[in-house]
Amino acid sequence: MDIGNSHHALRLETAVDLVNALTGENRGGMPAYLSAEEVERLAGLAVDLRAVIVALISDDHDGAAGVLNRLLADSDARPRLRREGDEAWHLTFHAPGADFVRKWTAGLAVAFAAVLGDDSAQRLGCCEAPRCDRVFIDTSQGRTKRFCGVACQNRVKAAAYRRRGKVVNVP
Ligand SMILES: [Zn+2]
């Protein structure tokens, strides 16, 4: 990852976690402290972010930009320097008074918009294992990651091994 973009890279990791938690084959769930309405809106955001990630994986920058522009507009994203108390000034992207979900929408949409077409966006991937569609950021040097994790990698390896075994056993 580009050091200068580490802030956005961190947000991309958050987005990937959100997409995997709320969309796809293996969705988990959200913390109980969120209201049903917040969870529903976050799930909508996760669906949009998955669409952005899938578009970026297939080099469909027009598609990604279309969804991102809608998210930026809907969340009224705008850059602003903020500080509270003794904090250092830091850059935020949500509109004044934005609620929790709009803050997330603004921050994550800006992060994707900032990396559109650069190295970070090209490291996004989707697991190739059957019955898995978890997305990930490939941080390997050669960009060789094909699976979301060791469990999927082992599952595919074991299946291939069994297939080879069967072929050998054919008389
Ligand atoms: Zn997987």
Side-chain angles (χ1 to χ4, degrees), residues 127 129 132 148 152:
C127 185
C132 183
C148 65
C152 276

Side-chain angles (χ1 to χ4, degrees), residues 78-84 88-94:
R78 55 183 81 173
R80 177 164 305 195
L81 285 164
R82 284 190 170 82
R83 77 187 293 198
E84 268 151 45
W89 287 99
H90 60 278
L91 186 59
T92 61
F93 297 100
H94 54 271

